[in-house]
Amino acid sequence: MTGLNPGTVLTVTLNPSVDRALEVDALIRGEVLRAADSHIDPGGKGVNVSRALLANGIRSTAVVPAGGAEGEQLVDLLKGEGVDMLAVPITGRTRSNITLAEPDGTVTKINEAGPTLSDTEFAQVSDAVLAAAGTADWVVICGSLPPGPTVAAFTDLCERLVKSGVRLAVDSSGPALLAGVAAGAALVKPNREELAEATGTGLVTLGDVIRACGRLREAGAGTVLASLGAEGAVLVDAAGVIAGVSPVSVPRSTVGAGDALLAGFLAAGASGEAALVEGLAWGAAAVSLPGSRMPRPQDLDRTSIRLDREPDPNRPLRRD
């Protein structure tokens, strides 16, 4: 199944977190609520990609800036799960995020902004990434930019990685996503909102999504994998367009689902139908698990996934 060898993926999470997920019967503002269950997991999009790969027997290395007691907790959580990592010390405190999950699959997430990275600290993180990239097939930069680093500094990191010959994947938003596209990232994975923001277009139909993905390819991205939540994903690359859906009968948490989708896509070679099927299977499995748990092989169901190589461009998307 896998198109990767152990150790070929380097994930970069510039704004990682410690994630606490609480399951509640109903979210009622102003009331005292009792959690039915709770989980504490290492968080951040790149961290989740590494965790998902490891859960399926594929080792990777996660680069994370870490500071304060929460930074120590993040490192301990990653060590506890057996994730290989490069932790770059920073003076700020690693952020904590809270997720409230209701039985019908509704998720309310409260994210801290995260610590400010000084120019020196961002340079240290960049140096660690560039040094480790020499033995990687993929460098996967995920998540939001923390306060501090400029878009120019992030763009420089992306350009240096691409020039080094490594395949770069970017899963971010706003200027960071566009910087990855302009640098020539081999793969970008925006969600619906990020794709709309990046292209300045409303995404009402599947055709709108396909055209927006095409615009990112024209701007420099090699492959665009657009995640559409419950409506699956769209893959646009040099070979054409494939749309896919992966129904989930009992959704529990959407946190980390897009990260699992990306991890599965990479695990199956990051190209074509087989990779899209794997990504959709991993993403759907993540939605069926609590908190930000990453799916294991026994959680995956590829039989329910439906692909369409000639998707109807007029198919309306659900309203947000």
Side-chain angles (χ1 to χ4, degrees):
M1 177 274 296
T2 177
L4 295 171
N5 294 316
T8 60
V9 176
L10 183 74
T11 67
V12 183
T13 308
L14 295 173
N15 202 8
S17 61
V18 174
D19 284 358
R20 180 183 295 273
L22 305 174
E23 296 188 17
V24 296
D25 291 334
L27 180 58
I28 305 173
R29 185 170 180 265
E31 294 292 330
V32 175
L33 308 177
R34 296 192 181 278
D37 200 1
S38 64
H39 312 275
I40 298 180
D41 298 303
K45 297 176 74 64
V47 165
N48 286 337
V49 170
S50 282
R51 294 173 64 224
L53 290 171
L54 182 60
N56 289 271
I58 303 169
R59 301 200 73 86
S60 67
T61 300
V63 179
V64 292
E70 289 81 358
E72 294 177 3
Q73 186 179 21
L74 172 65
V75 169
D76 288 342
L77 287 168
L78 288 170
K79 286 181 178 178
E81 292 191 9
V83 176
D84 296 330
M85 81 184 103
L86 291 172
V88 180
I90 59 173
T91 57
R93 176 182 62 82
T94 296
R95 63 179 177 158
S96 294
N97 296 335
I98 297 174
T99 298
L100 301 174
E102 299 176 71
D104 64 355
T106 300
V107 172
T108 302
K109 207 164 189 299
I110 305 171
N111 290 348
E112 289 188 332
T116 297
L117 294 189
S118 68
D119 292 344
T120 299
E121 289 171 335
F122 184 73
Q124 290 171 340
V125 173
S126 297
D127 289 344
V129 172
L130 290 162
T135 58
D137 288 335
W138 282 94
V139 173
V140 185
I141 304 179
C142 300
S144 60
L145 283 180
T150 64
V151 175
F154 180 77
T155 300
D156 179 68
L157 173 59
C158 292
E159 290 176 344
R160 292 172 70 185
L161 286 167
V162 171
K163 289 177 181 177
S164 75
V166 71
R167 286 179 290 179
L168 173 65
V170 176
D171 179 2
S172 190
S173 59
L177 173 62
L178 292 174
V181 170
L187 169 66
V188 295
K189 194 213 72 64
N191 61 27
R192 179 176 172 179
E193 292 76 19
E194 292 161 351
L195 181 61
E197 179 186 16
T199 58
T201 57
L203 304 180
V204 179
T205 66
L206 194 59
D208 293 334
V209 172
I210 294 169
R211 286 186 289 274
C213 290
R215 288 180 62 180
L216 293 188
R217 291 197 69 242
E218 291 170 359
T223 295
V224 181
L225 176 63
S227 56
L228 303 176
E231 295 190 71
V234 170
L235 173 64
V236 181
D237 59 15
V241 177
I242 313 174
V245 294
S246 50
V248 178
S249 56
V250 183
R252 296 189 66 181
S253 173
T254 58
V255 179
D259 310 325
L261 167 70
L262 176 56
F265 185 74
L266 291 168
S271 177
E273 290 187 6
L276 182 56
V277 166
E278 201 67 14
L280 287 167
W282 290 33
V287 172
S288 68
L289 296 171
S292 58
R293 298 288 178 90
M294 292 293 107
R296 300 162 296 174
Q298 59 265 39
D299 299 315
L300 304 177
D301 177 14
R302 302 171 184 87
T303 62
S304 63
I305 296 190
R306 302 190 303 274
L307 297 185
D308 189 351
R309 273 202 168 273
E310 296 183 357
D312 178 6
N314 296 315
R315 192 187 92 193
L317 300 177
R318 298 178 192 174
R319 293 184 180 275
D320 294 338

